[in-house]
Amino acid sequence: MKHLNTSRSLGLRTLAVHAGQQPDTVTGAIATPITATSAFSYPDFDSGARRFSGEEPGYMYSRFANPTVTVFEQKLAALEGAETAVACASGMAAISATLFALLVPGDEIIHIGTLYGGTEGVVRNLLPRYGIKPVHVADVSELEAAFTKNTKVVLVETPANPGLDIADLAEIARLSKAANAVSVADNTFATPYLTRPLELGIDIVLHSATKYISGHGDATGGIVAGSATLITPIRTLSLKQFGGNLSPFEASLMIRGLKTLPLRVEASSLSAQAVAEFLDGHSAVGTVFYPGLKQHPGHATASKQMKLFGGIMAIELKGGLNAARTFLDKLSIITQAVSLGDTDSLACHPASTTHSAVAPEIRRQSGITDGLVRISIGIEDTDDLIADLQQALEGL
């Protein structure tokens, strides 16, 4: 049996490959086996009773826990520096389980800046049905004044989807702790390779694992990491009550994706910096929203809490909706599709896709205009991506 040498701190690339797993004890297989079973036997009546009561460890039913899923959870927890993690069927399952586990009727949740459209829907539309009040603040400067005795959760995305706003995670953590509120950071865009929110004081970190963690556009999942005290009720709600468990097949793809996460994220981040600098000088582009550009309002904060500036950007085309339509339809190497964080570069029009269900006035407040295009840079050759963008911008 292989054990990691923990006498010294291991790097993220090493943890991405080795954390949470060991060669199979029966066959010696290096790749984590896919445990494709719905139920697990136990030795006898009393053992079964003890497992279901929590007195004895052991697998019982794959909705509750599965060995393949456990490896994924342990690997991601190691990368985030978390005590534990729980995997879910999607990023939205992870967000929903987290918020409903932490909040009860009468509570308030503060959400900062712009959120992914699906998350906006849960916070603004679904939570109020259960007596939970959402409170929006534009940025961290407004946070302290927004706290009340009923504030229980502070939720933030950074970089935010789709406008790449940057929030100071250390300051959010400090203010939340002072108010006895749980801070939750969606780290999907940055990944643990670029930002480690828990080390900055954030209580819970979550991901749409469909994105960079999977990294190949072939699996859907979500994951939440933090202390056992906070994650245990989320696990109970998500898996036993909501039934939002991740399948072992998807988990095996997530494990594979995590092994190359540092390499992929670094490659896409370096390309994205070059692409952003090219777009910033183009006559058809009004604004490039990318934290790696010095004029980005969040550049200084991003420089403190990110290793690189990530592979996602957004651009505001001067020609508005018609320019966005023409630009997207002309792309050749870059694929027009939602999602992000794939090996393939992707581009989409948030106002008509990812944020189409968000009320128009909220879209306007968040800067999601008809001319805004979100671009996720993959791992293709940088020069090829720039050439594709250049030809798509011609004539706009």
Side-chain angles (χ1 to χ4, degrees):
M1 182 180 295
K2 182 181 73 171
H3 295 281
L4 287 179
N5 181 352
T6 55
S7 60
R8 59 181 296 274
S9 179
L10 298 175
L12 283 180
R13 283 168 58 169
T14 302
L15 290 173
V17 173
H18 294 287
Q21 66 181 73
Q22 58 191 25
D24 182 59
T25 55
V26 175
T27 66
I30 297 171
T32 301
I34 300 173
T35 306
T37 184
S38 56
F40 300 83
S41 67
Y42 31 86
D44 51 49
F45 180 95
D46 291 334
S47 178
R50 288 193 298 270
R51 288 188 187 186
F52 274 83
S53 69
E55 299 174 58
E56 177 182 297
Y59 293 100
M60 303 164 288
Y61 190 55
S62 274
R63 177 160 57 84
F64 303 159
N66 175 281
T68 312
V69 178
T70 297
V71 171
F72 170 48
E73 292 171 342
Q74 291 176 347
K75 191 180 288 289
L76 189 280
L79 288 172
E80 285 286 10
E83 185 178 0
T84 190
V86 56
C88 305
S90 67
M92 286 308 304
I95 289 166
S96 299
T98 298
L99 297 184
F100 278 102
L102 296 175
L103 296 162
V104 299
D107 287 347
E108 295 180 3
I109 173 174
I110 299 175
H111 54 114
I112 303 171
T114 305
L115 301 173
Y116 165 62
T119 307
E120 288 269 8
V122 171
V123 172
R124 293 181 184 268
N125 302 325
L126 189 56
L127 292 182
R129 297 185 190 179
Y130 298 91
I132 299 163
K133 180 182 177 182
V135 176
H136 178 253
V137 299
D139 53 48
V140 180
S141 67
E142 300 178 2
L143 178 57
E144 188 169 17
F147 284 108
T148 74
K149 61 181 177 60
N150 295 322
T151 304
K152 296 299 186 294
V153 171
V154 176
L155 175 64
V156 67
E157 287 180 17
T158 185
N161 187 359
L164 282 297
D165 298 327
I166 301 294
D168 188 328
L169 291 174
E171 181 66 0
I172 292 169
R174 184 185 72 81
L175 292 172
S176 298
K177 282 180 171 56
N180 294 315
V182 176
S183 53
V184 180
D186 186 328
N187 202 31
T188 299
F189 273 31
T191 80
Y193 185 64
L194 300 182
T195 304
R196 289 161 64 86
L198 302 182
E199 290 183 353
L200 296 170
I202 295 294
D203 295 309
I204 291 175
V205 60
L206 55 81
H207 298 264
S208 172
T210 311
K211 312 303 192 298
Y212 279 109
I213 288 173
S214 167
H216 294 76
D218 55 9
T220 302
I223 194 158
V224 191
S227 69
T229 300
L230 290 172
I231 298 302
T232 297
I234 297 171
R235 176 182 294 279
T236 300
L237 181 70
S238 175
L239 307 186
K240 291 188 177 182
Q241 295 166 339
F242 280 0
N245 60 294
L246 185 69
S247 86
F249 297 96
E250 302 285 276
S252 70
L253 294 174
M254 300 298 178
I255 293 166
R256 180 203 62 182
L258 278 179
K259 285 176 177 282
T260 61
L261 176 75
L263 305 177
R264 290 183 289 100
V265 171
E266 181 158 322
S268 67
S269 297
L270 294 174
S271 278
Q273 183 71 41
V275 167
E277 290 170 2
F278 159 74
L279 291 170
D280 189 46
H282 199 283
S283 60
V285 179
T287 308
V288 178
F289 302 94
Y290 184 68
L293 297 177
K294 291 182 179 179
Q295 69 267 30
H296 188 283
H299 177 73
T301 301
S303 297
K304 290 190 302 181
Q305 66 188 30
M306 299 183 74
K307 182 176 181 179
L308 295 167
F309 299 103
I312 316 296
M313 67 189 68
I315 59 173
E316 180 72 36
L317 292 170
K318 292 179 181 178
L321 179 62
N322 288 335
R325 178 186 292 109
T326 300
F327 169 74
L328 285 165
D329 285 347
K330 287 173 67 178
L331 289 170
S332 174
I333 294 173
I334 300 171
T335 302
Q336 187 175 175
V338 297
S339 199
L340 52 95
D342 285 358
T343 53
D344 300 39
S345 293
L346 307 173
C348 73
H349 182 247
S352 62
T353 58
T354 59
H355 289 70
S356 59
V358 176
E361 63 272 18
I362 296 174
R363 286 206 305 268
R364 285 193 295 272
Q365 292 169 10
S366 301
I368 304 170
T369 67
D370 286 343
L372 190 76
V373 173
R374 190 188 72 194
I375 304 171
S376 171
I377 299 298
I379 62 170
E380 302 96 338
D381 285 306
T382 307
D383 289 346
D384 293 334
L385 294 175
I386 290 175
D388 191 28
L389 291 163
Q390 188 167 26
Q391 64 83 25
L393 288 167
E394 286 178 5
L396 296 185

